[in-house]
Amino acid sequence: DAGITQSPRYKITETGRQVTLMCHQTWSHSYMFWYRQDLGHGLRLIYYSAAADITDKGEVPDGYVVSRSKTENFPLTLESATRSQTSVYFCASSEYGQGLGGAEAFFGQGTRLTVV
Amino acid sequence: AQTVTQSQPEMSVQEAETVTLSCTYDTSENNYYLFWYKQPPSRQMILVIRQEAYKQQNATENRFSVNFQKAAKSFSLKISDSQLGDTAMYFCALGSNYKLTFGKGTLLTVNP
């Protein structure tokens, strides 16, 4: 099916563990994004990628690592999870970079991560 | 740096009435776009409407329209004939410098 999918939908992990959230899109969009959504903060950009092997930091990158070896995948890794990283994480993709055109960003269903 | 401010954390409206959600933004970029996204309880993010900054004409999509005041850096969303299905969190977003920056959101409740 065409679209953007995230896995898992829900995850509980322990403090200090490494966890990877997966994101896959089927449109071959150049740009992909990771956001976290927290009450009172809206969506904040963690990392984004303009193409395979090109990534850049967003507003809140500390404690996260990304990679993009293939255009369609953009995994987000929490190297050593902390309780402050408990959040809902959204992956998104768009055909081109924001500001270059009014490209709609398509979002995955989100991953609810709880760090205990 | 680019910022988006939504000053109304929560709003409510009666079914069939009109409601306006406020948004202000700041950017030093000349090329940018503005968006309103809707997030219903399902958590799915859905594009409601978009506005190209270089266009003076306000965008409209059926019952949704915007009031774009470029000099004031204001971008409000008007929902006419509100429906129960419009109940959702609404996010104003600024697209520039390759990325999308969101406001904190306004929770809109449509009452029967």
Side-chain angles (χ1 to χ4, degrees):
Chain A
D1 289 339
I4 181 166
T5 55
Q6 294 181 233
S7 60
R9 294 290 305 276
Y10 301 90
K11 175 75 177 178
I12 300 175
T13 192
E14 295 179 340
T15 302
R17 288 192 179 271
Q18 183 181 81
V19 60
T20 296
L21 309 183
M22 304 301 293
C23 179
H24 175 79
Q25 54 106 353
T26 61
W27 295 296
S28 298
H29 283 168
S30 295
Y31 279 77
M32 295 188 76
F33 310 85
W34 273 107
Y35 290 89
R36 61 177 290 175
Q37 183 178 15
D38 304 289
L39 197 63
H41 290 279
L43 282 83
R44 292 181 292 176
L45 183 64
I46 304 171
Y47 270 96
Y48 68 103
S49 169
D53 298 321
I54 301 175
T55 62
D56 205 351
K57 295 178 180 179
E59 182 185 354
V60 288
D62 293 344
Y64 303 95
V65 174
V66 293
S67 62
R68 196 167 177 206
S69 57
K70 293 184 178 181
T71 300
E72 60 267 29
N73 297 324
F74 191 39
L76 176 73
T77 298
L78 287 68
E79 293 185 299
S80 178
T82 64
R83 293 183 66 182
S84 65
Q85 292 177 310
T86 292
S87 186
V88 178
Y89 291 84
F90 284 95
C91 178
S93 72
S94 66
E95 188 174 358
Y96 34 82
Q98 296 296 322
L100 300 178
E104 177 179 356
F106 293 89
F107 287 79
Q109 322 94 301
T111 295
R112 181 177 294 277
L113 176 69
T114 303
V115 183
V116 298
Chain B
Q2 48 200 53
T3 61
V4 178
T5 301
Q6 294 178 251
S7 58
Q8 305 152 314
E10 294 187 37
M11 294 189 73
S12 63
V13 64
Q14 293 299 121
E15 196 174 5
E17 293 187 345
T18 296
V19 64
T20 298
L21 280 58
S22 301
C23 173
T24 58
Y25 64 93
D26 192 22
T27 180
S28 58
E29 301 291 327
N30 291 321
N31 296 320
Y32 60 91
Y33 290 74
L34 294 159
F35 305 83
W36 280 97
Y37 280 85
K38 167 185 175 180
Q39 185 181 44
S42 67
R43 214 165 69 190
Q44 184 65 47
M45 293 287 287
I46 302 165
L47 177 66
V48 175
I49 197 166
R50 84 187 86 189
Q51 174 77 41
E52 300 169 77
Y54 61 86
K55 284 191 175 180
Q56 292 187 341
Q57 185 174 4
N58 289 325
T60 61
E61 287 286 343
N62 301 314
R63 297 182 295 109
F64 299 89
S65 62
V66 299
N67 183 5
F68 174 46
Q69 301 289 327
K70 189 171 184 178
K73 295 186 177 178
S74 171
F75 183 61
S76 61
L77 174 69
K78 185 172 82 170
I79 306 174
S80 303
D81 186 25
S82 297
Q83 301 176 358
L84 296 178
D86 294 333
T87 292
M89 182 73 82
Y90 287 81
F91 292 99
C92 179
L94 168 65
S96 76
N97 201 21
Y98 307 106
K99 44 191 183 291
L100 204 54
T101 301
F102 288 86
K104 294 182 179 182
T106 296
L107 179 61
L108 176 67
T109 303
V110 180
N111 299 309

